[in-house]
C-alpha cells in the first residue's frame, strides 16, 4: 500500500489543473486519480443500492417494534377483555390489534437522531466525505512527498485535504472506500 493525499475541488477544470500540477511537481501521472464522489448514502455499495444494508440510525428499531407490539398488544387485549360485555367476543381481539399497532410506534423512540452516535460506538466525529470532485495522488512515503502533495493541492485551492492508504494504478484508486471516514489534514 502507498500513502495517498487527496483533496476536493469544485470544478472539472480545477481537477485537470491539479492533475497537471502534480505531474509537473514530479509525481507519477499513472498514480494520480481524479473522480467524482457522490453524496453519502448514494455510493451503491450494497446489492440494493446505498452504503449500508440497514440504516445506521435504525439499529435498535426491530427490538423497539417487538417490545412495543408485545406491550401494546397485551394492554389492548386486557382493555378489550374488560370491555367484552359491551363489545362482545371481538373486543379483546380488536383491542390487542389496536394496542399492538399503537405499541409498535414505540420503536421511533429507539431511533437515533441524525449525527448522534450509537450507544457504545467508537465512531469518530469526523463527518463523511462531501460530494464533489476528488484528486488523489499515491506515492511511496519518503523524502517529504506528503508535504509536497499537500502544498500543491493547497496552492490550487483544494478543500478537505486528507491522507489515506491505498493503491492508485493507471489513474484509478482501486481500493477507495467512499463510505470510510477521511483522515483530514486540513
Amino acid at each position: 500500500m502507498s500513502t495517498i493525499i487527496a483533496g476536493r475541488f469544485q470544478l472539472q477544470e480545477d481537477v485537470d489543473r491539479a492533475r497537471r500540477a502534480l505531474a509537473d511537481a514530479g509525481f507519477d501521472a499513472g498514480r494520480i486519480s481524479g473522480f467524482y464522489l457522490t453524496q453519502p448514502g448514494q455510493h451503491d455499495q450494497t446489492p440494493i443500492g446505498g452504503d449500508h444494508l440497514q440504516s445506521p440510525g435504525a439499529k435498535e428499531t426491530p427490538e423497539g417494534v417487538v417490545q412495543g407490539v408485545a406491550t401494546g398488544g397485551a394492554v389492548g387485549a386486557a382493555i378489550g377483555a374488560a370491555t367484552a360485555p359491551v363489545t362482545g367476543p371481538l373486543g379483546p381481539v380488536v383491542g390487542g390489534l389496536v394496542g399492538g399497532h399503537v405499541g409498535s410506534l414505540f420503536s421511533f423512540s429507539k431511533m437515533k437522531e441524525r449525527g448522534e452516535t450509537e450507544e457504545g460506538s467508537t465512531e469518530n466525529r469526523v463527518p463523511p466525505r462531501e460530494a464533489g470532485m476528488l484528486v488523489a495522488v499515491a506515492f511511496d512515503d519518503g523524502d517529504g512527498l506528503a508535504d509536497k502533495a499537500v502544498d500543491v493541492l493547497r496552492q490550487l485551492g483544494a478543500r478537505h485535504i486528507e491522507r489515506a492508504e491505498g493503491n492508485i494504478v493507471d489513474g484509478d484508486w482501486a481500493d477507495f472506500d467512499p463510505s470510510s471516514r477521511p483522515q483530514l489534514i486540513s
Side-chain angles (χ1 to χ4, degrees):
M1 289 224 178
S2 302
T3 298
I4 295 177
I5 300 294
R8 191 164 65 82
F9 291 92
Q10 200 66 19
L11 303 172
Q12 181 64 47
E13 297 117 29
D14 297 334
V15 169
D16 297 338
R17 193 167 35 107
R19 290 178 73 136
R20 280 191 305 275
L22 286 165
D24 291 345
F27 291 99
D28 180 3
R31 298 185 77 189
I32 300 170
S33 179
F35 58 95
Y36 180 76
L37 178 64
T38 59
Q39 294 285 344
Q42 297 179 359
H43 298 126
D44 199 27
Q45 300 226 317
T46 66
I48 60 170
D51 295 346
H52 307 284
L53 288 174
Q54 183 181 38
S55 172
K59 180 179 176 186
E60 298 175 8
T61 301
E63 296 156 6
V65 169
V66 169
Q67 290 172 354
V69 167
T71 303
V75 170
I79 292 171
T83 62
V86 176
T87 60
L90 289 180
V93 174
V94 172
L97 291 173
V98 171
H101 172 68
V102 171
S104 72
L105 300 177
F106 172 76
S107 66
F108 290 121
S109 69
K110 290 287 190 178
M111 292 174 59
K112 71 180 187 103
E113 296 296 321
R114 182 180 180 157
E116 178 184 351
T117 59
E118 298 284 345
E119 282 186 38
S121 172
T122 58
E123 176 183 314
N124 59 21
R125 300 304 302 160
V126 176
R129 290 177 181 90
E130 294 179 21
M133 301 296 297
L134 281 183
V135 173
V137 59
F139 49 86
D140 298 320
D141 207 9
D143 300 329
L145 291 176
D147 292 337
K148 186 177 183 179
V150 169
D151 288 343
V152 169
L153 292 174
R154 273 195 186 128
Q155 289 172 3
L156 295 169
R159 298 186 323 155
H160 303 280
I161 298 174
E162 65 178 272
R163 179 185 193 101
E165 298 293 321
N167 296 303
I168 296 177
V169 180
D170 296 328
D172 181 35
W173 188 347
D175 50 2
F176 177 69
D177 179 5
S179 60
S180 68
R181 299 288 175 163
Q183 297 176 10
L184 294 177
I185 295 172
S186 64

